[in-house]
Amino acid sequence: MTVIADHGAMSRKRSTTWVSVVVFILLIVIGYYLTRYQDQTAPPTTPAPAEPGQDPAAQLAALTVAPEGRMAGYSRDRFPHWSSQGNSCDTREIVLQRQGSDVRSDGECRATSGSWVSVYDGETITDASKLDIDHTVALAEAWRSGADKWTDEQRQKFANDLGGIQLIAVSATSNRAKGDQDPAKWKPPVRSYWCTYALNWISVKTTYKLTVDQAEHDALATMISQCPK
């Protein structure tokens, strides 16, 4: 009788263990699908102005002023993007999720709805296909400013920098008007954004140790002189 009782206890213990395992697996599966397919409804964030930790004019003065380099050897392929960021998302889709309002994405992480304010021209856009992800300091501009000497791995990091100020979702119209021009040749149509744009530009060039040419330097100095004191 004692042996029979022991077998019963062992049987109940094994049963309890299997139930625990099954419940654990179910929780993992449910958690996975909730994470992968939930609506992207995080509060919108606007790329923050650079916080250089010192006077912007001093940071600008610390940049090396040099003539622009040549475009020999340049190709956008030398700056691999958009990189995978996990859960079927790439860099572009992460930027859209972060910078939009009420963004919803499908199972492949593609934005299917939402609202974005293009800070360059003030346009409100509700169709993600009409948005470009702009590199504050364009890839070709970076190449002419020193990135031609980087490794492809360094260029990939630059092209997919999710730190908050190098990548920004803007209207395709404004991004293509900008092209690869620096602030001496192109400024955002929304004049009130000039201060933030200049601060971000200076911060990116400082972080990546890129040079500025004289006209670019002078244009940035004019733009930051309009920042609130």
Side-chain angles (χ1 to χ4, degrees), residues 56 192 195-196 199 223-229:
S192 60
C195 172
T196 298
L199 292 176
M223 293 169 79
I224 62 175
S225 70
Q226 301 177 27
C227 293
K229 303 300 182 183

Side-chain angles (χ1 to χ4, degrees), residues 30-96:
I30 292 170
Y32 171 79
Y33 280 97
L34 284 175
T35 300
R36 184 177 176 86
Y37 295 109
Q38 66 181 345
D39 291 341
Q40 304 295 334
T41 56
T45 57
T46 299
E51 296 180 4
Q54 60 177 316
D55 181 74
Q59 192 175 34
L60 174 59
L63 291 173
T64 299
V65 178
E68 285 192 340
R70 300 168 61 184
M71 290 294 289
Y74 170 76
S75 166
R76 288 181 66 84
D77 293 337
R78 301 296 301 275
F79 294 81
H81 63 290
W82 304 111
S83 295
S84 172
Q85 301 295 336
N87 291 329
S88 299
C89 299
D90 62 19
T91 303
R92 171 185 166 85
E93 297 302 337
I94 294 296
V95 175
L96 292 176

